[in-house]
Amino acid sequence: MINKKWDIVLKEEFKKDYFRNLGIFVKSEYKNKIIFPEYKNIFQAFRLTDYDEVKVVILGQDPYHGIGEAHGLSFSVQEGCPMPPSLRNIYKELYSDLKVQRKTTDLTSWAKQGVLLLNSIMTVVKDSPLSHKGKGWEIFTDTVIEKLGEREEPMVFIFWGSYARSKKVLIKNKKHLILESVHPSPLSANHGFFGSRPFSKTNEFLRQHGIEEIKW
């Protein structure tokens, strides 16, 4: 359904009533409304980054809700779309931190290196942020975070903003590194996101544990 190892790890989750009900709801929404991302891209983050390949998790809340933007990866938008303000600030911090200058809005290259770009709520109605809140996605993605948190191989969880930071209680294994700050949105970036250096801190942690660093 998603990717070989994810299908094994989440096998029991797919059988639960809430997930079946979520599937029915989502299919109905796609049939009757304009929903993002495209149906085929809902689980794109999992296809690009299998369970055993995850080195870093960057958690977003829900997909971008404008036409052509969302493609199943948190904070990433498809080429040709204007760069969202939060992503622009992420790139400012990346340049300040590592002197890496990115121009593409598509973060697929991160995902292919082991960065799970996960949205807590994985679908959204056009122009209606948080429209699929409370429909079951949060139960599913909380389980994903818990399953990753149980892994023995160390990884980094990056939580930006109060919503994402509330998820750190799901991670029980102290081997993992949790990096948290305010959200990179223009409303909060100047209050602790800028200067937080998540990219260099992530690579330093990976390097210390003999794991290949991310080419941000």
Side-chain angles (χ1 to χ4, degrees), residues 95-161:
Y95 183 75
S96 172
D97 189 5
L98 292 174
K99 295 298 181 281
V100 172
Q101 195 156 26
R102 284 183 63 97
K103 294 183 179 178
T104 174
T105 59
D106 186 338
L107 300 178
T108 296
S109 65
W110 290 3
K112 288 181 175 179
Q113 294 178 74
V115 182
L116 182 68
L117 296 165
L118 179 67
N119 278 315
S120 183
I121 304 161
M122 296 179 63
T123 52
V124 68
V125 178
K126 177 181 177 290
D127 298 331
S128 301
L130 300 179
S131 46
H132 284 179
K133 181 181 179 181
K135 303 299 183 182
W137 279 127
E138 298 95 329
I139 303 172
F140 174 71
T141 53
D142 280 2
T143 301
V144 168
I145 294 169
E146 286 180 329
K147 294 289 187 184
L148 287 168
E150 292 167 0
R151 246 184 45 179
E152 280 303 304
E153 187 171 12
M155 74 182 78
V156 182
F157 291 86
I158 298 178
F159 295 142
W160 291 327

Side-chain angles (χ1 to χ4, degrees), residues 6 9-10 51 54-57 116 118 141-157 159 167-178:
W6 277 122
V9 171
L10 298 171
Y51 177 81
V54 178
K55 301 175 184 179
V56 184
V57 177
L116 182 68
L118 179 67
T141 53
D142 280 2
T143 301
V144 168
I145 294 169
E146 286 180 329
K147 294 289 187 184
L148 287 168
E150 292 167 0
R151 246 184 45 179
E152 280 303 304
E153 187 171 12
M155 74 182 78
V156 182
F157 291 86
F159 295 142
K167 303 296 183 180
K168 64 184 178 181
V169 297
L170 300 170
I171 301 158
K172 310 298 185 188
N173 191 336
K174 302 302 182 184
K175 288 184 177 182
H176 305 309
L177 175 65
I178 298 173

Side-chain angles (χ1 to χ4, degrees), residues 15-135:
K15 296 176 182 177
K16 292 182 179 178
D17 287 344
Y18 90 85
F19 193 83
R20 289 174 176 156
N21 292 334
L22 174 62
I24 293 167
F25 167 77
V26 167
K27 285 178 182 177
S28 174
E29 289 285 278
Y30 273 89
K31 186 176 179 180
N32 296 299
K33 301 175 184 176
I34 299 174
I35 308 296
F36 300 124
E38 287 185 65
Y39 190 80
K40 66 180 181 180
N41 287 332
I42 294 175
F43 292 102
Q44 184 71 345
F46 297 89
R47 293 193 191 98
L48 292 173
T49 317
D50 209 352
Y51 177 81
D52 287 337
E53 300 168 351
V54 178
K55 301 175 184 179
V56 184
V57 177
I58 300 180
L59 185 67
Q61 191 159 5
D62 70 337
Y64 294 116
H65 50 83
I67 292 174
E69 294 179 327
H71 61 131
L73 306 176
S74 64
F75 295 101
S76 178
V77 299
Q78 298 185 81
E79 288 300 334
C81 293
M83 188 177 293
S86 291
L87 183 58
R88 190 177 304 280
N89 285 338
I90 289 168
Y91 282 2
K92 285 181 181 178
E93 179 60 20
L94 175 59
Y95 183 75
S96 172
D97 189 5
L98 292 174
K99 295 298 181 281
V100 172
Q101 195 156 26
R102 284 183 63 97
K103 294 183 179 178
T104 174
T105 59
D106 186 338
L107 300 178
T108 296
S109 65
W110 290 3
K112 288 181 175 179
Q113 294 178 74
V115 182
L116 182 68
L117 296 165
L118 179 67
N119 278 315
S120 183
I121 304 161
M122 296 179 63
T123 52
V124 68
V125 178
K126 177 181 177 290
D127 298 331
S128 301
L130 300 179
S131 46
H132 284 179
K133 181 181 179 181
K135 303 299 183 182

